[in-house]
Amino acid sequence: MLSSSDGYYKFSIYSIMASIPAGASTTMVTGLHMQDARESIACALAHPSGKMAEKIVHVLHTNEKLSAVPEWNAAEAADDELVADKYQGTSADRHDMRMLGRIQVLRRNFNFIPILGFSVVLICTWELLFANLTFALTNGGTGGLFWGFTVACIACVFIYLSMAEMASMTPTAGGQYHWVSEFSPRWCQKYLSYITGWLLAIGWQGAIVGLSFVAGTIVQGLITLNNPNYVPEQWHGTLLVIAAVLIAVAINVFLSKTLPIAEWFILILHVVGLFAIIIPLLAMAPKNSARVALLDITNSGGWSTKGTSFMIGLLTVLSSMMGFDCAVHMSEEVQNASETLPKAILWGAGLNAVLGYLTVFTLCFTMTDIPALLDSPTTFPFLQLFYNVTRSNVATAIMAAIIIITLVMAVVSEVATASRQIWAFSRDNGFPFSRFLRRVKPGWNIPLNALWVSLAFGVIIALINLGSSVALNAIVSLTISALISSYILSIGCLISRRLRASDPPLPVSKFSLGKYGLAINIIAMVFLVPFFIFCFFPVGTPVDQQTMNFNVVMFTGITFFATGWYFVGGGREGYRPPNLIQNRDV
């Protein structure tokens, strides 16, 4: 009926039902949650101390029948295995899992510093500011870079305050699609949650390839710098992308237990590495005047106004601050998640904003010949800047290697985030083959099948580059629009919930915005909506096949596909929105 091995308990719904005396009139577990009863009864059976009845009564306290347990919770009970007690987190974590209607199958081995390192390295703000200079200089120039980053940071204050509050209310790996399910109006609850889950999953998968592609092409740029006769081929970049994805997946699979420790060291590299780069630049490079560095806004994209050019360039710097929901998708591996997550999100955003400002100031004052940097044979202005300042291939390679290493480690974090998002959505039967995708192999305690899907997805998208780099860029560009749309949906639904007087008050949380919550949420939306619109603009004019931003095609295609699957493919009947299995009365 119940077996125990190395602290792990394996049991099924039938085991639990058989454990309850025949004719028992008290029934259902905390409203709708079989996991709650399974955990408590398992502990009682494994540790008989005369208090078994007391433990059972603790969870079997409503008037509903045990047979009313939703079948998807029963399936989860039969398939999954609890982790050892030491990995189940604090009493608050156990309470949150019972409230969510879930069982603890992943290890909670992240505390504040590791999850902070995980987040700030994944977002890699200053690294992306260097890597994406071409787009920022084309639309905005040095002035646009400085003021664009300022606008992005102000927006992120309100966005991440809103996200932090929701993460504290509901610390679940599902993140935004779960919050949409919980806070949206009842009439559109299920559909909006379903679409959000699809957009998040595809967006994070695209991010894996996007960062891998950046790291790979920087390597090609370094080769070009050292060997002017080198001709970069698309298949070279493809192999480098696949190599980065393979490394990231391998670390997630075989070194998952040590990943929190590794995040300490990568966090140190992320911080110290920036100073190893900007100190030589500030000490040795010629300088722009303050007026040129901070006020010179250029329009090299051919737009009718500098304002339009600025807004398009703003998206480049904004992307370097987007994605701190990554910590939320790891929430079921974080100790004391309802308290740790808000701190990780806000401290992470604050730390990366400071490092980003240091980078922006350095670039704005040291890039004195922007046309020459944009014409660099390396295709990366920052590589040319490093060489112009140091006049050394070795020094340039060392400085660039810091960026490449942190980008690859960011891919490791993105694989973890993307796989958890797939796994979480599959628990609610959001995808085809969800039963396979949500499986957590006993003893591994990681979503192994979801990791293999991330690997396959990454390799397949990378291979697209062999046929068309435009198609690859279209898929990768989906990341920013998918993330922003998920923020709009989740924060928008939170605003809706605050305004619906007929609904119960918002759940109590350890991090609360209090009476300022509605205003903060609305300001976040004021920023997010125009950001979302400009996501679909091309970099410059005139627009042709090479310069077209196919993000709008990809976003619309994914939305229509998910909608079609929802109404025609069985998603509407199969998907079980999280709000149906959580119980705030626990």
Side-chain angles (χ1 to χ4, degrees), residues 12 19 183 186 275 278 294-295 305 316 352 364 418 443 492 497 528 540 551 556 563 582:
S12 70
S19 305
F183 300 131
R186 198 175 299 270
F275 289 94
I278 65 173
L294 304 181
L295 299 177
T305 66
T316 299
N352 270 16
C364 288
R497 174 66 180 272
L528 284 169
N551 185 359
T556 304
T563 300
Q582 76 173 22

Side-chain angles (χ1 to χ4, degrees), residues 319-342:
S319 64
S320 70
M321 286 293 291
M322 286 285 105
F324 276 99
D325 58 296
C326 61
V328 177
H329 302 305
M330 300 296 291
S331 61
E332 292 174 40
E333 295 162 76
V334 176
Q335 296 178 15
N336 197 17
S338 59
E339 183 175 329
T340 303
L341 286 176

Side-chain angles (χ1 to χ4, degrees), residues 147-486:
W147 291 107
F149 192 74
T150 301
V151 171
C153 288
I154 293 172
C156 286
V157 169
F158 299 97
I159 294 169
Y160 291 132
L161 280 172
S162 302
M163 301 286 285
E165 184 181 42
M166 289 187 285
S168 186
M169 290 178 187
T170 312
T172 169
Q176 293 93 304
Y177 89 84
H178 187 119
W179 302 335
V180 169
S181 174
E182 183 172 5
F183 300 131
S184 65
R186 198 175 299 270
W187 63 271
C188 59
Q189 212 164 33
K190 190 173 184 178
Y191 171 72
L192 286 182
S193 173
Y194 186 79
I195 293 298
T196 305
W198 269 89
L199 287 172
L200 269 176
I202 301 299
W204 277 112
Q205 292 297 324
I208 295 173
V209 179
L211 269 191
S212 300
F213 187 74
V214 171
T217 48
I218 291 175
V219 172
Q220 288 183 288
L222 273 179
I223 297 174
T224 301
L225 183 66
N226 287 273
N227 179 13
N229 295 323
Y230 170 68
V231 179
E233 300 285 352
Q234 284 183 280
W235 67 269
H236 298 168
T238 297
L239 289 178
L240 289 168
V241 170
I242 293 174
V245 174
L246 284 171
I247 291 171
V249 172
I251 291 175
N252 272 277
V253 172
F254 301 109
L255 300 176
S256 59
K257 288 184 179 180
T258 61
L259 189 57
I261 299 174
E263 295 297 347
W264 280 80
F265 297 100
I266 302 303
L267 175 60
I268 293 171
L269 177 63
H270 176 71
V271 176
V272 176
L274 173 62
F275 289 94
I277 292 174
I278 65 173
I279 289 175
L281 293 180
L282 291 173
M284 302 170 64
K287 307 296 188 298
N288 285 319
S289 66
R291 187 195 66 79
V292 171
L294 304 181
L295 299 177
D296 190 9
I297 297 177
T298 59
N299 177 13
S300 300
W303 297 100
S304 57
T305 66
K306 286 187 176 182
T308 304
S309 181
F310 172 82
M311 285 300 299
I312 294 171
L314 170 62
L315 266 296
T316 299
V317 294
L318 178 68
S319 64
S320 70
M321 286 293 291
M322 286 285 105
F324 276 99
D325 58 296
C326 61
V328 177
H329 302 305
M330 300 296 291
S331 61
E332 292 174 40
E333 295 162 76
V334 176
Q335 296 178 15
N336 197 17
S338 59
E339 183 175 329
T340 303
L341 286 176
K343 291 193 296 184
I345 292 171
L346 297 178
W347 277 96
L351 175 59
N352 270 16
V354 171
L355 298 178
Y357 260 117
L358 291 174
T359 304
V360 168
F361 269 106
T362 301
L363 289 171
C364 288
F365 278 94
T366 58
M367 293 188 299
T368 55
D369 189 356
I370 291 178
L373 296 179
L374 290 174
D375 288 338
S376 171
T378 67
T379 70
F380 283 97
F382 80 90
L383 288 178
Q384 192 64 49
L385 176 65
F386 291 174
Y387 179 77
N388 291 348
V389 171
T390 64
R391 290 297 170 185
S392 168
N393 286 350
V394 174
T396 300
I398 292 173
M399 295 164 74
I402 295 172
I403 295 177
I404 294 169
I405 292 170
T406 52
L407 286 175
V408 172
M409 290 310 301
V411 177
V412 173
S413 297
E414 290 202 333
V415 166
T417 299
S419 61
R420 270 59 172 185
Q421 178 61 34
I422 289 178
W423 168 75
F425 198 46
S426 297
R427 284 188 305 188
D428 295 315
N429 209 25
F431 291 121
F433 312 107
S434 284
R435 190 177 182 87
F436 169 79
L437 293 173
R438 71 176 179 234
R439 179 76 171 123
V440 176
K441 188 174 180 180
W444 287 74
N445 300 114
I446 56 174
L448 199 57
N449 292 343
L451 282 166
W452 297 139
V453 169
S454 294
L455 172 61
F457 196 91
V459 171
I460 291 171
I461 294 179
L463 291 174
I464 292 175
N465 187 49
L466 295 176
S468 171
S469 59
V470 174
L472 175 67
N473 290 330
I475 296 172
V476 170
S477 66
L478 178 65
T479 298
I480 186 68
S481 58
L483 285 179
I484 292 178
S485 67
S486 74

